[in-house]
Coordinates of all heavy atoms in Angstrom, one line a residue:
E1 N -15.3 3.0 22.4 CA -16.0 4.0 21.6 C -16.6 5.0 22.5 O -16.6 6.2 22.1 CB -17.1 3.3 20.7 CG -16.6 2.6 19.5 CD -17.7 2.1 18.7 OE1 -18.8 2.8 18.5 OE2 -17.6 0.9 18.2
L2 N -17.2 4.6 23.6 CA -17.9 5.6 24.5 C -16.9 6.6 24.9 O -17.1 7.8 24.8 CB -18.5 4.9 25.6 CG -19.1 5.8 26.7 CD1 -20.2 6.7 26.2 CD2 -19.6 5.0 27.9
F3 N -15.8 6.2 25.5 CA -14.8 7.2 26.0 C -14.2 8.0 24.9 O -13.9 9.2 25.1 CB -13.7 6.4 26.9 CG -14.2 5.9 28.1 CD1 -14.3 4.5 28.3 CD2 -14.7 6.7 29.1 CE1 -14.7 4.0 29.5 CE2 -15.1 6.2 30.3 CZ -15.2 4.8 30.5
A4 N -14.0 7.4 23.8 CA -13.4 8.2 22.7 C -14.4 9.2 22.2 O -13.9 10.2 21.6 CB -13.1 7.2 21.5
S5 N -15.7 9.0 22.4 CA -16.7 10.0 22.0 C -16.9 11.2 22.9 O -17.5 12.2 22.6 CB -18.0 9.3 21.7 OG -18.6 9.0 23.0
L6 N -16.2 11.1 24.1 CA -16.4 12.2 25.1 C -15.5 13.4 24.8 O -14.4 13.2 24.3 CB -16.1 11.6 26.5 CG -17.0 10.5 27.0 CD1 -16.6 9.9 28.3 CD2 -18.5 10.9 27.0
D7 N -16.0 14.5 25.2 CA -15.2 15.7 25.1 C -14.1 15.8 26.2 O -14.5 15.8 27.4 CB -16.1 16.9 25.1 CG -15.4 18.3 25.2 OD1 -14.2 18.3 24.7 OD2 -16.0 19.3 25.6
P8 N -12.9 15.7 25.9 CA -11.8 15.7 26.9 C -11.9 16.9 27.9 O -11.7 16.7 29.1 CB -10.5 15.8 26.2 CG -10.8 15.3 24.8 CD -12.3 15.7 24.5
A9 N -12.3 18.1 27.4 CA -12.4 19.3 28.3 C -13.6 19.1 29.3 O -13.5 19.4 30.5 CB -12.6 20.5 27.5
A10 N -14.6 18.5 28.8 CA -15.8 18.2 29.7 C -15.4 17.2 30.8 O -15.8 17.3 31.9 CB -17.0 17.8 28.9
V11 N -14.7 16.1 30.4 CA -14.3 15.1 31.3 C -13.4 15.7 32.3 O -13.5 15.4 33.5 CB -13.6 13.9 30.6 CG1 -13.0 12.9 31.6 CG2 -14.6 13.2 29.7
Y12 N -12.4 16.5 31.9 CA -11.5 17.2 32.8 C -12.3 18.1 33.8 O -12.0 18.0 35.0 CB -10.5 18.0 32.0 CG -9.5 18.7 32.9 CD1 -8.4 18.1 33.5 CD2 -9.6 20.1 33.0 CE1 -7.5 18.8 34.2 CE2 -8.7 20.8 33.8 CZ -7.7 20.2 34.4 OH -6.8 20.9 35.2
A13 N -13.2 18.8 33.3 CA -14.0 19.7 34.2 C -14.8 18.9 35.2 O -14.9 19.3 36.4 CB -14.9 20.6 33.3
H14 N -15.4 17.8 34.7 CA -16.2 16.9 35.6 C -15.3 16.3 36.7 O -15.7 16.5 37.9 CB -16.8 15.8 34.7 CG -17.5 14.8 35.6 ND1 -18.7 15.0 36.2 CD2 -17.2 13.5 35.8 CE1 -19.1 13.9 36.8 NE2 -18.1 13.0 36.7
T15 N -14.2 15.7 36.4 CA -13.4 15.0 37.4 C -12.7 16.0 38.3 O -12.7 15.7 39.5 CB -12.4 14.1 36.7 OG1 -11.5 14.8 35.8 CG2 -13.1 13.0 35.9
T16 N -12.2 17.1 37.8 CA -11.5 18.1 38.7 C -12.6 18.8 39.5 O -12.3 19.2 40.7 CB -10.7 19.1 37.9 OG1 -11.5 19.8 37.0 CG2 -9.5 18.3 37.2
G17 N -13.7 19.0 39.0 CA -14.8 19.6 39.8 C -15.2 18.7 41.0 O -15.4 19.2 42.1
L18 N -15.3 17.4 40.8 CA -15.7 16.5 41.9 C -14.5 16.6 43.0 O -14.8 16.6 44.2 CB -15.8 15.1 41.4 CG -17.0 14.8 40.5 CD1 -17.0 13.4 39.9 CD2 -18.3 15.0 41.3
A19 N -13.3 16.5 42.5 CA -12.2 16.5 43.4 C -12.1 17.9 44.1 O -11.9 17.9 45.4 CB -10.9 16.3 42.6
A20 N -12.4 18.9 43.5 CA -12.4 20.3 44.2 C -13.5 20.3 45.3 O -13.2 20.8 46.4 CB -12.6 21.3 43.2
G21 N -14.7 19.8 45.0 CA -15.7 19.8 45.9 C -15.4 18.9 47.1 O -15.7 19.2 48.3
F22 N -14.8 17.8 46.9 CA -14.4 16.9 47.9 C -13.3 17.5 48.8 O -13.4 17.5 50.0 CB -13.8 15.5 47.3 CG -13.4 14.5 48.3 CD1 -14.3 13.8 49.0 CD2 -12.1 14.3 48.5 CE1 -13.9 12.8 49.9 CE2 -11.6 13.4 49.4 CZ -12.5 12.6 50.1
S23 N -12.3 18.1 48.2 CA -11.3 18.8 48.9 C -11.8 19.9 49.8 O -11.4 20.1 51.0 CB -10.2 19.4 47.9 OG -9.5 18.4 47.3
A24 N -12.7 20.7 49.2 CA -13.3 21.8 50.0 C -14.1 21.3 51.2 O -14.0 21.9 52.3 CB -14.2 22.6 49.1
A25 N -14.8 20.2 51.0 CA -15.6 19.7 52.1 C -14.7 19.2 53.2 O -15.1 19.1 54.4 CB -16.5 18.6 51.6
L26 N -13.5 18.7 52.9 CA -12.6 18.2 53.9 C -11.8 19.4 54.5 O -11.0 19.2 55.4 CB -11.6 17.2 53.3 CG -12.1 15.9 52.9 CD1 -11.0 15.0 52.4 CD2 -12.7 15.2 54.1
G27 N -11.9 20.6 53.9 CA -11.2 21.7 54.5 C -9.8 21.8 54.0 O -8.9 22.4 54.6
L28 N -9.5 21.1 52.9 CA -8.1 21.2 52.3 C -7.9 22.4 51.5 O -8.9 22.9 50.9 CB -7.9 19.9 51.4 CG -8.1 18.5 52.1 CD1 -8.0 17.4 51.1 CD2 -7.1 18.3 53.2
E29 N -6.7 22.8 51.4 CA -6.3 23.9 50.5 C -6.6 23.5 49.1 O -6.3 22.3 48.6 CB -4.9 24.3 50.7 CG -4.5 24.9 52.0 CD -5.1 26.3 52.2 OE1 -5.2 27.0 51.2 OE2 -5.6 26.5 53.3
P30 N -7.1 24.4 48.2 CA -7.3 24.1 46.8 C -6.0 23.7 46.2 O -4.9 24.3 46.5 CB -7.8 25.4 46.2 CG -8.3 26.2 47.4 CD -7.5 25.8 48.5
A31 N -6.0 22.9 45.2 CA -4.8 22.5 44.5 C -4.3 23.6 43.6 O -5.1 24.4 43.1 CB -5.1 21.2 43.6
E32 N -3.0 23.8 43.5 CA -2.4 24.8 42.6 C -3.0 24.6 41.2 O -3.3 25.5 40.5 CB -0.9 24.7 42.6 CG -0.3 25.4 43.7 CD 1.2 25.5 43.6 OE1 1.7 25.8 42.5 OE2 1.9 25.2 44.6
L33 N -2.9 23.4 40.7 CA -3.4 23.0 39.4 C -4.6 22.1 39.6 O -4.4 21.1 40.4 CB -2.3 22.3 38.5 CG -1.1 23.2 38.2 CD1 -0.1 22.3 37.4 CD2 -1.5 24.4 37.3
P34 N -5.7 22.3 38.9 CA -6.8 21.3 39.1 C -6.4 19.9 38.8 O -5.7 19.7 37.8 CB -7.8 21.9 38.1 CG -7.5 23.3 37.9 CD -6.0 23.3 38.0
S35 N -6.8 19.0 39.7 CA -6.5 17.6 39.5 C -7.7 16.7 40.0 O -8.4 17.1 40.9 CB -5.3 17.2 40.4 OG -5.0 15.9 40.3
A36 N -7.8 15.6 39.4 CA -8.9 14.6 39.8 C -8.4 13.8 41.0 O -9.2 13.1 41.5 CB -9.2 13.7 38.6
I37 N -7.2 14.0 41.4 CA -6.6 13.2 42.5 C -6.5 14.1 43.7 O -6.1 15.3 43.6 CB -5.2 12.8 42.1 CG1 -5.3 11.8 40.9 CG2 -4.6 12.0 43.3 CD1 -3.9 11.5 40.3
V38 N -7.0 13.6 44.9 CA -6.9 14.3 46.1 C -6.2 13.5 47.1 O -6.4 12.3 47.2 CB -8.3 14.6 46.7 CG1 -8.3 15.3 48.0 CG2 -9.2 15.3 45.7
T39 N -5.2 14.1 47.7 CA -4.4 13.4 48.8 C -4.5 14.3 50.1 O -4.6 15.5 50.0 CB -3.0 13.1 48.4 OG1 -2.3 14.4 48.3 CG2 -2.8 12.4 47.2
W40 N -4.4 13.6 51.2 CA -4.3 14.4 52.5 C -3.6 13.5 53.5 O -3.5 12.3 53.4 CB -5.8 14.7 53.0 CG -6.7 13.6 53.3 CD1 -6.9 13.0 54.5 CD2 -7.4 12.8 52.3 NE1 -7.7 11.9 54.4 CE2 -8.1 11.8 53.1 CE3 -7.6 12.8 51.0 CZ2 -8.9 10.8 52.5 CZ3 -8.4 11.8 50.4 CH2 -9.1 10.9 51.2
T41 N -3.2 14.2 54.6 CA -2.5 13.5 55.6 C -3.4 12.5 56.3 O -4.5 12.9 56.8 CB -2.0 14.6 56.7 OG1 -1.1 15.5 55.9 CG2 -1.2 14.0 57.7
D42 N -2.9 11.4 56.5 CA -3.6 10.3 57.2 C -2.6 9.4 57.9 O -2.3 8.2 57.5 CB -4.4 9.4 56.2 CG -5.3 8.4 56.8 OD1 -5.7 8.5 58.0 OD2 -5.6 7.4 56.1
P43 N -1.9 9.9 58.9 CA -0.7 9.3 59.5 C -0.9 7.9 60.0 O -0.1 7.0 59.9 CB -0.2 10.2 60.6 CG -1.4 11.1 60.8 CD -2.2 11.2 59.6
D44 N -2.1 7.6 60.6 CA -2.4 6.4 61.2 C -3.2 5.4 60.2 O -3.5 4.3 60.5 CB -3.3 6.5 62.4 CG -2.5 7.2 63.5 OD1 -1.3 7.0 63.6 OD2 -3.1 8.1 64.3
G45 N -3.6 5.9 59.0 CA -4.3 5.2 58.0 C -5.8 5.0 58.4 O -6.5 4.2 57.7
D46 N -6.3 5.8 59.3 CA -7.7 5.6 59.8 C -8.6 6.0 58.6 O -9.7 5.3 58.5 CB -8.0 6.5 61.0 CG -7.2 6.0 62.2 OD1 -6.8 4.8 62.3 OD2 -7.0 6.8 63.2
D47 N -8.3 7.1 57.9 CA -9.2 7.5 56.8 C -9.3 6.4 55.8 O -10.3 6.1 55.2 CB -8.8 8.8 56.2 CG -9.0 10.0 57.1 OD1 -9.8 9.8 58.2 OD2 -8.5 11.1 56.8
L48 N -8.1 5.8 55.4 CA -8.1 4.8 54.4 C -8.9 3.6 54.8 O -9.6 3.0 54.0 CB -6.6 4.4 54.1 CG -6.4 3.4 53.0 CD1 -6.9 3.9 51.7 CD2 -4.9 3.1 52.9
V49 N -8.8 3.2 56.1 CA -9.6 2.1 56.6 C -11.1 2.4 56.5 O -11.9 1.6 56.0 CB -9.3 1.8 58.1 CG1 -10.3 0.8 58.7 CG2 -7.8 1.2 58.1
R50 N -11.5 3.6 56.8 CA -12.9 4.0 56.7 C -13.4 4.0 55.3 O -14.5 3.5 55.0 CB -13.1 5.4 57.3 CG -13.1 5.5 58.8 CD -13.4 7.0 59.3 NE -13.1 7.1 60.7 CZ -12.0 7.7 61.2 NH1 -11.1 8.1 60.3 NH2 -11.8 7.7 62.4
L51 N -12.6 4.5 54.4 CA -13.0 4.5 53.0 C -13.2 3.1 52.5 O -14.2 2.8 51.8 CB -12.0 5.3 52.1 CG -12.1 6.8 52.4 CD1 -10.8 7.4 51.8 CD2 -13.3 7.5 51.8
N52 N -12.2 2.3 52.7 CA -12.2 0.9 52.2 C -13.3 0.1 52.8 O -14.0 -0.7 52.2 CB -10.9 0.2 52.4 CG -9.8 0.8 51.5 OD1 -10.1 1.1 50.3 ND2 -8.6 0.9 51.9
A53 N -13.6 0.3 54.1 CA -14.7 -0.4 54.8 C -16.1 0.0 54.2 O -17.0 -0.8 54.2 CB -14.7 0.0 56.3
A54 N -16.2 1.2 53.6 CA -17.4 1.7 53.0 C -17.5 1.3 51.5 O -18.4 1.6 50.8 CB -17.5 3.2 53.1
G55 N -16.5 0.5 51.1 CA -16.5 0.0 49.7 C -16.0 1.1 48.7 O -16.2 0.9 47.5
I56 N -15.3 2.0 49.2 CA -14.7 3.1 48.3 C -13.3 2.8 48.0 O -12.5 2.6 48.9 CB -14.9 4.5 49.0 CG1 -16.4 4.8 49.2 CG2 -14.2 5.6 48.2 CD1 -16.7 5.9 50.1
T57 N -12.9 2.8 46.8 CA -11.5 2.5 46.4 C -10.7 3.7 46.7 O -10.9 4.9 46.3 CB -11.5 2.2 44.8 OG1 -12.3 1.1 44.6 CG2 -10.0 2.0 44.4
A58 N -9.7 3.5 47.5 CA -8.7 4.6 47.9 C -7.4 3.9 48.2 O -7.3 2.7 48.3 CB -9.2 5.3 49.2
S59 N -6.4 4.7 48.2 CA -5.0 4.1 48.5 C -4.3 5.0 49.5 O -4.8 6.1 49.8 CB -4.2 4.0 47.2 OG -4.0 5.2 46.6
G60 N -3.3 4.5 50.0 CA -2.5 5.3 51.0 C -1.0 4.9 50.9 O -0.7 3.8 50.6
R61 N -0.2 5.9 51.2 CA 1.2 5.7 51.1 C 1.9 6.8 51.9 O 1.5 8.0 51.8 CB 1.7 5.7 49.7 CG 3.1 5.4 49.6 CD 3.7 5.3 48.1 NE 2.6 5.1 47.1 CZ 2.7 5.5 45.9 NH1 3.7 6.2 45.5 NH2 1.7 5.3 45.1
A62 N 2.9 6.5 52.7 CA 3.7 7.4 53.4 C 2.9 8.4 54.2 O 3.1 9.6 54.2 CB 4.6 8.2 52.4
G63 N 1.9 7.9 54.9 CA 1.1 8.7 55.8 C 0.1 9.6 55.1 O -0.4 10.5 55.7
R64 N -0.3 9.2 53.9 CA -1.2 10.0 53.1 C -2.3 9.1 52.5 O -2.0 8.0 52.1 CB -0.6 10.9 52.0 CG 0.4 11.9 52.6 CD 0.9 12.8 51.6 NE -0.1 13.7 51.0 CZ -0.6 14.8 51.6 NH1 -0.1 15.1 52.8 NH2 -1.4 15.6 51.0
A65 N -3.5 9.6 52.5 CA -4.6 8.9 51.8 C -4.8 9.5 50.5 O -4.5 10.7 50.3 CB -5.9 9.0 52.7
R66 N -5.4 8.8 49.5 CA -5.6 9.2 48.1 C -6.8 8.7 47.5 O -7.1 7.5 47.7 CB -4.3 8.8 47.3 CG -4.4 9.1 45.8 CD -3.4 8.4 45.1 NE -3.3 8.7 43.7 CZ -4.0 8.1 42.8 NH1 -4.9 7.2 43.1 NH2 -3.9 8.4 41.5
V67 N -7.6 9.6 46.9 CA -8.7 9.2 46.1 C -8.6 9.8 44.7 O -8.0 10.9 44.6 CB -10.1 9.5 46.7 CG1 -10.3 8.7 48.0 CG2 -10.2 11.0 47.0
A68 N -9.1 9.2 43.7 CA -9.1 9.8 42.4 C -10.5 9.7 41.8 O -11.1 8.6 41.8 CB -8.1 9.1 41.5
F69 N -11.0 10.8 41.2 CA -12.3 10.8 40.6 C -12.2 10.6 39.1 O -11.2 11.1 38.5 CB -13.0 12.1 40.9 CG -13.3 12.3 42.4 CD1 -12.3 12.9 43.2 CD2 -14.4 11.7 42.9 CE1 -12.6 13.0 44.6 CE2 -14.6 11.8 44.3 CZ -13.8 12.4 45.2
H70 N -13.1 9.8 38.6 CA -13.1 9.4 37.2 C -14.4 9.9 36.5 O -15.4 10.3 37.1 CB -12.9 7.9 37.1 CG -11.6 7.5 37.6 ND1 -10.4 7.5 37.0 CD2 -11.3 7.0 38.9 CE1 -9.5 7.1 37.7 NE2 -10.0 6.8 38.9
V71 N -14.5 9.7 35.2 CA -15.6 10.1 34.4 C -16.9 9.4 34.9 O -18.0 10.0 34.8 CB -15.4 9.8 32.9 CG1 -15.3 8.3 32.6 CG2 -16.4 10.4 32.1
F72 N -16.8 8.2 35.5 CA -18.0 7.5 35.9 C -18.4 7.9 37.3 O -19.4 7.4 37.8 CB -17.8 6.0 35.8 CG -16.5 5.5 36.4 CD1 -16.4 5.4 37.8 CD2 -15.4 5.3 35.6 CE1 -15.1 4.9 38.3 CE2 -14.2 4.8 36.2 CZ -14.1 4.7 37.5
N73 N -17.7 8.7 38.0 CA -18.0 9.2 39.4 C -19.0 10.3 39.3 O -19.1 11.0 38.2 CB -16.8 9.6 40.2 CG -15.9 8.5 40.5 OD1 -14.8 8.4 40.1 ND2 -16.4 7.5 41.3
D74 N -19.8 10.6 40.3 CA -20.7 11.7 40.4 C -20.7 12.2 41.8 O -20.0 11.8 42.6 CB -22.1 11.3 39.9 CG -22.7 10.1 40.7 OD1 -22.3 9.9 41.9 OD2 -23.6 9.4 40.2
E75 N -21.6 13.2 42.0 CA -21.7 13.9 43.3 C -22.0 12.9 44.4 O -21.6 13.1 45.5 CB -22.8 15.0 43.2 CG -22.4 16.2 42.4 CD -21.2 17.0 42.9 OE1 -21.0 17.0 44.2 OE2 -20.5 17.6 42.2
Q76 N -22.8 11.9 44.1 CA -23.1 10.9 45.2 C -21.9 10.2 45.6 O -21.8 9.9 46.8 CB -24.2 9.9 44.7 CG -24.7 9.0 45.7 CD -25.4 9.7 46.9 OE1 -26.3 10.5 46.6 NE2 -24.9 9.5 48.1
D77 N -21.0 9.9 44.8 CA -19.7 9.3 45.2 C -18.9 10.2 46.1 O -18.3 9.7 47.1 CB -18.9 9.0 43.9 CG -19.5 7.9 43.0 OD1 -20.0 6.9 43.6 OD2 -19.5 8.1 41.8
V78 N -18.9 11.5 45.8 CA -18.3 12.5 46.7 C -19.0 12.4 48.1 O -18.3 12.3 49.1 CB -18.4 13.9 46.1 CG1 -17.9 14.9 47.2 CG2 -17.5 14.0 44.9
L79 N -20.3 12.5 48.1 CA -21.0 12.4 49.4 C -20.7 11.1 50.1 O -20.6 11.1 51.3 CB -22.5 12.6 49.1 CG -22.9 14.0 48.6 CD1 -24.4 14.0 48.2 CD2 -22.6 15.0 49.6
D80 N -20.7 10.0 49.4 CA -20.4 8.7 50.0 C -19.1 8.7 50.7 O -18.9 8.2 51.8 CB -20.5 7.6 49.0 CG -22.0 7.3 48.5 OD1 -22.9 7.8 49.2 OD2 -22.1 6.6 47.5
A81 N -18.1 9.2 50.0 CA -16.7 9.3 50.6 C -16.7 10.1 51.8 O -16.1 9.8 52.8 CB -15.7 9.7 49.5
L82 N -17.3 11.3 51.7 CA -17.4 12.2 52.9 C -18.1 11.5 54.1 O -17.6 11.7 55.2 CB -18.0 13.5 52.5 CG -17.2 14.4 51.5 CD1 -18.1 15.5 51.0 CD2 -15.9 14.9 52.1
R83 N -19.1 10.9 53.8 CA -19.9 10.2 54.9 C -19.0 9.1 55.5 O -19.0 9.0 56.7 CB -21.2 9.6 54.3 CG -22.1 9.0 55.4 CD -23.4 8.5 54.8 NE -24.1 9.4 54.0 CZ -24.2 9.3 52.7 NH1 -23.8 8.2 52.0 NH2 -24.9 10.2 52.0
A84 N -18.3 8.4 54.7 CA -17.4 7.3 55.3 C -16.3 8.0 56.2 O -16.0 7.4 57.2 CB -16.7 6.6 54.1
L85 N -15.8 9.1 55.8 CA -14.8 9.8 56.5 C -15.3 10.4 57.9 O -14.5 10.5 58.8 CB -14.1 10.8 55.8 CG -13.2 10.3 54.6 CD1 -12.8 11.5 53.7 CD2 -12.1 9.5 55.1
R86 N -16.6 10.7 57.9 CA -17.1 11.3 59.1 C -17.6 10.3 60.1 O -18.2 10.7 61.2 CB -18.2 12.3 58.7 CG -17.6 13.4 57.9 CD -18.6 14.5 57.5 NE -17.9 15.6 56.9 CZ -18.4 16.2 55.8 NH1 -19.5 15.8 55.2 NH2 -17.7 17.2 55.3
R87 N -17.5 9.0 59.9 CA -18.0 8.0 60.8 C -17.1 7.9 62.0 O -15.9 8.1 62.0 CB -18.1 6.6 60.1 CG -19.2 6.6 59.1 CD -19.3 5.2 58.6 NE -20.4 5.3 57.6 CZ -20.7 4.4 56.7 NH1 -19.9 3.3 56.6 NH2 -21.7 4.5 55.9

């Protein structure tokens, strides 16, 4: 019921906004189309290890790391992920 009551446009703006802020802080090029998913080159998997060690759910494949922002994420989650990557 909770998720069904949310405005889809507001959820989209929230999740893509978090992803855009995260991408910008990493110095990544903006996505052509706004997306809640952010991927970047991580050939050795070091970023993925850092994120997972900090308790942040992330995945990796083919030399890329990936995070996805959801309705329950907030700016603190973005900061936590960035802090984990800067260790």
